[in-house]
Amino acid sequence: MYFLLSSFSCVWLFAGLRGSVGQDTLNYTRHFERLISWPERVEYFGYMEPFFASLMIVFSAVFDDVFAVFLFFSFIQAVLIFKIVGKMHHGVFFFSSYILIFYVSLNLNVLRAGLALLLFIQSLLFCKTRKGGVYLVLALATHVSVFALLPLYLIRSKARVRDYFFVILTCAVFGWLAWIFMGDYLIFKIQVYVLDIDSGFHVSVSMIALIFFGFFMLLLDRNFSSEAIFAYVIMMVWMVLTTKFSVFHRFYQMAFLVFLFLVFEKRVFRFSEFKVRPFSVYAMLLVIYFTVSTAIGMLNEGQRVYDSGKGDFEYTIVPYSLFWLDN
């Protein structure tokens, strides 16, 4: 009990008491400081998803300091993480993977997308009940990128043909409303992402090796769920697209976390009996590979901060050694 409480407190407070770490910290601080009157608060719905905007508006009306916002969102994320882990067979592996690879980016930086992704995974746990639908709506109303993961929800829930038509109709209605209320903001985002295009694909040898090794391991282990296989396929496709379109980095990261959830959700290995399914081995190798990549990236980021002499607001990922710096 004490171990769980201390673990929860660390996950919650380390991001909640973030100081000035992360580009989104600066962005949402500026958002919060603008929400000083009801006209500005109503206008906020014009460039932010409704659920997230509603929470920001409520906090701006009650609190004077943005500190409460980050503390609250970090608490919700910590609750969701532990609720998800508690319902998994290999929850320890999923939790470790999340902390090593995703915690910095999803809890300290892309806060809105990180919260939406955890809500989406929670919806997968209850996808055949109304509770799952509620979590899905909250996820979609927190960050629009979750729409890219909708096929996974439909596959897992074993949706019928008429359900697909209902989802398409619902997405069309939401898209129409988003265009009416957030048209200028969406155009701005599209322009930013379209302009941010590399000249060509730069697929590394290691990336090719990861893709083909995954397909090979999948051929040896064909009994994995269809949604896990689909998550793997879109994860690899988006990983390749990331080399040309930086926007796919977020989609790829989201698919990767969902993939790990779908792999570790059910029993796939028993070390005591030396029984390990090949595809689960591949998932664990991916965790090791991207843990090392994340660590190297953070060290390089720290070196760039040191060499440039610029504050940590200039960077999306900041090493823990700079966690308490306040510029």
Side-chain angles (χ1 to χ4, degrees):
M1 183 62 184
Y2 289 110
F3 176 76
L4 288 175
L5 184 59
S6 60
S7 299
F8 177 86
S9 299
C10 289
V11 172
W12 168 31
L13 295 176
F14 193 70
L17 304 174
R18 64 182 61 211
S20 59
V21 170
Q23 184 61 44
D24 271 6
T25 303
L26 177 60
N27 290 337
Y28 292 131
T29 298
R30 290 173 174 171
H31 289 191
F32 184 86
E33 291 172 349
R34 286 203 306 266
L35 301 175
I36 57 177
S37 66
W38 284 107
E40 281 93 357
R41 290 164 182 161
V42 173
E43 186 182 358
Y44 192 61
F45 283 103
Y47 55 95
M48 199 60 57
E49 288 83 351
F51 181 59
F52 188 87
S54 299
L55 292 175
M56 286 286 286
I57 289 169
V58 169
F59 272 81
S60 70
V62 176
F63 297 97
D64 297 326
D65 196 332
V66 72
F67 166 81
V69 174
F70 296 123
L71 200 61
F72 172 77
F73 280 110
S74 182
F75 177 79
I76 296 301
Q77 285 181 298
V79 170
L80 289 172
I81 292 169
F82 278 82
K83 283 176 67 68
I84 292 167
V85 167
K87 293 184 179 297
M88 299 176 64
H89 193 89
H90 300 296
V92 172
F93 285 89
F94 179 80
F95 179 77
S96 301
S97 303
Y98 186 92
I99 296 300
L100 290 171
I101 303 174
F102 303 96
Y103 184 79
V104 170
S105 60
L106 297 183
N107 290 58
L108 292 170
N109 290 291
V110 289
L111 176 64
R112 190 159 40 99
L115 176 60
L117 181 55
L118 291 174
L119 287 169
F120 177 77
I121 295 177
Q122 188 75 0
S123 75
L124 293 180
L125 286 168
F126 301 97
C127 64
K128 296 181 181 179
T129 66
R130 290 184 179 180
K131 185 184 293 187
V134 172
Y135 279 117
L136 179 63
V137 170
L138 291 177
L140 296 173
T142 301
H143 199 276
V144 69
S145 61
V146 174
F147 275 97
L149 299 174
L150 265 180
L152 283 167
Y153 184 89
L154 295 173
I155 293 172
R156 185 177 176 90
S157 62
K158 294 180 171 54
R160 294 165 292 186
V161 175
R162 68 178 185 181
D163 294 327
Y164 280 87
F165 282 112
F166 176 76
V167 169
I168 293 173
L169 179 61
T170 302
C171 290
V173 172
F174 273 107
W176 176 67
L177 292 173
W179 187 258
I180 291 176
F181 292 101
M182 305 173 62
D184 294 339
Y185 177 74
L186 293 174
I187 291 174
F188 167 74
K189 282 292 187 180
I190 292 172
Q191 290 175 339
V192 170
Y193 292 135
V194 168
L195 292 175
D196 188 20
I197 297 177
D198 206 339
S199 58
F201 292 99
H202 304 284
V203 183
S204 64
V205 175
S206 61
M207 187 179 296
I208 295 174
L210 282 176
I211 294 172
F212 279 98
F213 184 62
F215 277 112
F216 174 72
M217 298 299 275
L218 188 57
L219 290 175
L220 297 177
D221 191 359
R222 299 182 180 181
N223 295 322
F224 263 87
S225 64
S226 56
E227 60 263 28
I229 296 173
F230 184 76
Y232 164 74
V233 172
I234 62 173
M235 176 183 71
M236 290 302 167
V237 171
W238 288 341
M239 183 170 66
V240 173
L241 290 175
T242 297
T243 64
K244 185 175 178 64
F245 307 95
S246 62
V247 65
F248 280 98
H249 174 75
R250 179 170 296 170
F251 293 143
Y252 152 69
Q253 188 181 43
M254 294 170 68
F256 184 27
L257 183 61
V258 175
F259 167 72
L260 293 178
F261 162 75
L262 294 170
V263 169
F264 294 138
E265 179 188 19
K266 300 176 182 178
R267 172 174 285 188
V268 290
F269 51 80
R270 292 191 291 272
F271 290 133
S272 60
E273 301 175 17
F274 300 101
K275 291 183 179 180
V276 182
R277 296 181 63 175
F279 204 46
S280 63
V281 173
Y282 174 70
M284 289 185 283
L285 289 176
L286 280 182
V287 170
I288 296 173
Y289 174 84
F290 284 106
T291 298
V292 174
S293 300
T294 300
I296 293 174
M298 290 178 65
L299 290 174
N300 291 337
E301 197 74 29
Q303 190 62 46
R304 284 193 290 270
V305 171
Y306 178 79
D307 293 339
S308 66
K310 296 181 179 180
D312 49 303
F313 274 150
E314 300 292 327
Y315 301 91
T316 301
I317 298 178
V318 179
Y320 292 138
S321 59
L322 300 177
F323 188 83
W324 296 111
L325 284 185
D326 212 0
N327 298 296

